[in-house]
Amino acid sequence: MRTIMDRKKHWEDIYQSKNTAEVSWFQSSPTTSLQFVKEFKLPLSARIIDVGGGDSFMVDRLLEMGYRNITVLDISETAIKKAQQRLGEKADTVKWIVADAAGFQPTETYDFWHDRAAFHFLTEKQEISNYVDTISSYVKPGGYLVLGTFSEQGPTKCSGIEIKQYSENTMTSLLTDFFNKIRCISVDHKTPFNTLQNFIFCSFRRLAV
């Protein structure tokens, strides 16, 4: 079992040794994720968290769209610093959290919880259970959740680490007590190395209490 400190060191090493566009998960624009944001018609005051956001361009695009209550969480301080440097003064308007997704303890609730490719790194039952408990408690009733993971047709590892694949059924069954599924889509992500990774993205709405 990989400890949190091992996991943190792994990701710090990755972000310290590679440029933003040299990692397999790089996207110049997170098109699929942004489609969900537009579909939900979230008000510009909505509290949004991007879990595992690192130095992805999700936060840039959300700021461009006018959202003003954004939190980015990542296990890697280096990744977050890269995003902050890229954004310049705009970074001061974003909340930045350095934490492992498996043990994250939010201090506020969210209207929209977004996670592209962080959740599938949680492979231990207890970590998965903790994460599900957290989103069930900290996504507001009526709020939205989007999870993007490698599908059962996708890779079994990423960046040298084993991941947990999901299908529409397995992901939905984890969340059925607290969330209604809206829809799931299959997406082929083209890496900077011209390989394809098949993802499943599922959107959910938190049940009213």
Side-chain angles (χ1 to χ4, degrees), residues 107-126:
T107 58
E108 60 183 334
T109 55
Y110 299 97
D111 300 293
F112 178 49
W113 183 295
H114 173 262
D115 178 335
R116 174 185 178 265
F119 181 55
H120 65 200
F121 284 107
L122 307 184
T123 57
E124 300 291 330
K125 285 185 177 181
Q126 190 58 55

Side-chain angles (χ1 to χ4, degrees), residues 1 4 7 16 35 40 45 64 87 89 112 122 143 145 164:
M1 176 180 173
I4 289 177
R7 192 153 58 199
Q16 288 169 11
Q35 284 173 347
F40 301 152
S45 60
E64 289 169 3
L87 288 169
E89 291 182 359
F112 178 49
L122 307 184
L145 165 69
K164 182 173 176 60

Side-chain angles (χ1 to χ4, degrees), residues 16-182:
Q16 288 169 11
S17 63
K18 294 181 182 292
N19 293 325
T20 299
E22 292 179 331
V23 293
S24 63
W25 54 90
F26 171 73
Q27 292 177 303
S28 58
S29 185
T31 304
T32 301
S33 299
L34 294 173
Q35 284 173 347
F36 283 110
V37 174
K38 293 171 184 175
E39 175 185 324
F40 301 152
K41 296 181 171 60
L42 298 170
L44 297 180
S45 60
R47 286 183 181 175
I48 297 173
I49 185 166
D50 186 17
V51 173
D55 66 342
S56 95
F57 285 79
M58 181 74 169
V59 63
D60 307 56
R61 302 298 171 253
L62 289 171
L63 288 169
E64 289 169 3
M65 293 165 71
Y67 288 99
R68 52 184 182 269
N69 204 336
I70 306 166
T71 298
V72 177
L73 178 145
D74 202 274
I75 195 172
S76 169
E77 186 173 358
T78 303
I80 282 178
K81 285 182 177 178
K82 285 185 176 185
Q84 291 172 329
Q85 290 170 359
R86 185 179 69 242
L87 288 169
E89 291 182 359
K90 291 180 181 178
D92 295 336
T93 67
V94 178
K95 297 175 186 175
W96 304 92
I97 299 174
V98 178
D100 188 292
F104 174 45
Q105 297 290 316
T107 58
E108 60 183 334
T109 55
Y110 299 97
D111 300 293
F112 178 49
W113 183 295
H114 173 262
D115 178 335
R116 174 185 178 265
F119 181 55
H120 65 200
F121 284 107
L122 307 184
T123 57
E124 300 291 330
K125 285 185 177 181
Q126 190 58 55
E127 288 185 334
I128 294 168
S129 177
N130 290 347
Y131 189 94
V132 171
D133 286 347
T134 299
I135 56 179
S136 300
S137 299
Y138 290 95
V139 175
K140 289 181 180 178
Y144 296 95
L145 165 69
V146 169
L147 290 178
T149 71
F150 285 160
S151 76
E152 292 179 341
Q153 288 72 50
T156 56
K157 288 187 176 183
C158 180
S159 200
I161 300 179
E162 289 188 3
I163 61 90
K164 182 173 176 60
Q165 298 173 321
Y166 285 90
S167 67
E168 179 172 347
N169 288 338
T170 56
M171 189 182 291
T172 302
S173 65
L174 273 179
L175 300 166
T176 188
D177 289 343
F178 297 98
F179 291 88
N180 277 331
K181 181 184 68 182
I182 300 173

